[in-house]
Amino acid sequence: MAHLYLSALRFDFRCPTLQRLVERLSETARQPLDCYTRALYAFALLGQPRPEGLVVMDEVLSEAEEHPKTLHVLLHGLWLGQDLDRGAERLLALSSRPTLATGTGPIVLFRVAGALRRLGRYAEGLVAIDRAIDSLPPGDPSVHADLVRERSLLCAARDLHQHWSPAPISGGRPS
């Protein structure tokens, strides 16, 4: 039941509430929390974005092996925590783990595209998001809008980067 409730909070992006509930669970629990619950806790911290979430994430990763749901929770937290130190790089590293690196998961590709955008790697991001859109099952509207929005953000960032140039600094005296 705890997994269901905490997962619902994750998908509602209620990071502070999720954090408080897990912290209360861990105080009363007689045994250590399972890996998935700790991943949800890391998500709550990463999503705020709090750097201690990176420590919890690393601890979970050392035990999680290739558990897909656990890895997806951590990937989601890194995606949400836009201001984390080296967050985009960490997201790309996590997405390269064997369980996530199949190249066909639209959610993983979506999150990778966002990380590549944050790093200014727009062409690679567009390839990833186009693969994500193409890998959606036919007629599945569940995340289509998110993918199209990410594609628009990538195009806008690329175009802004290509066409924006600062005005030259004049070194002479006004004439």
Side-chain angles (χ1 to χ4, degrees), residues 81-149:
Q82 296 278 317
D83 296 325
L84 291 166
D85 180 42
R86 297 183 48 248
E89 293 91 340
R90 292 171 189 262
L91 190 148
L92 292 176
L94 182 58
S95 71
S96 69
R97 290 180 72 127
T99 298
L100 299 177
T102 64
T104 60
I107 300 302
V108 173
L109 290 167
F110 164 65
R111 300 203 195 293
V112 164
L116 291 168
R117 176 178 43 81
R118 288 167 35 203
L119 294 170
R121 295 164 53 186
Y122 309 118
E124 292 173 78
L126 285 166
V127 168
I129 202 66
D130 287 344
R131 285 178 46 215
I133 292 169
D134 197 45
S135 67
L136 284 175
D140 181 3
S142 61
V143 294
H144 189 267
D146 294 328
L147 289 122
V148 170
R149 182 176 50 254

Side-chain angles (χ1 to χ4, degrees), residues 3-4 15 21 33 35 41 47 86 91 131 134 141 143 152:
H3 284 179
L4 290 174
C15 296
L21 287 174
L33 294 174
C35 208
Y41 181 59
R86 297 183 48 248
L91 190 148
R131 285 178 46 215
D134 197 45
V143 294
S152 296

Side-chain angles (χ1 to χ4, degrees), residues 8-114:
L9 291 172
R10 169 187 163 211
F11 288 112
D12 273 350
F13 298 101
R14 296 177 186 247
C15 296
T17 302
L18 199 158
Q19 177 191 349
R20 281 191 305 275
L21 287 174
V22 172
E23 286 172 352
R24 266 194 251 149
L25 279 175
S26 63
E27 289 173 12
T28 59
R30 297 284 182 226
Q31 54 193 351
L33 294 174
D34 62 275
C35 208
Y36 184 73
T37 302
R38 288 195 342 265
L40 289 165
Y41 181 59
F43 165 85
L45 296 171
L46 295 168
Q48 290 186 63
R50 297 184 51 188
E52 57 268 30
L54 296 169
V55 174
V56 176
M57 179 187 79
D58 289 340
E59 291 169 359
V60 170
L61 284 173
S62 70
E63 297 173 30
E65 296 176 6
E66 291 298 315
H67 186 259
K69 290 184 187 286
T70 300
L71 296 178
H72 273 282
V73 169
L74 297 172
L75 194 70
H76 193 190
L78 286 171
W79 172 80
L80 187 59
Q82 296 278 317
D83 296 325
L84 291 166
D85 180 42
R86 297 183 48 248
E89 293 91 340
R90 292 171 189 262
L91 190 148
L92 292 176
L94 182 58
S95 71
S96 69
R97 290 180 72 127
T99 298
L100 299 177
T102 64
T104 60
I107 300 302
V108 173
L109 290 167
F110 164 65
R111 300 203 195 293
V112 164

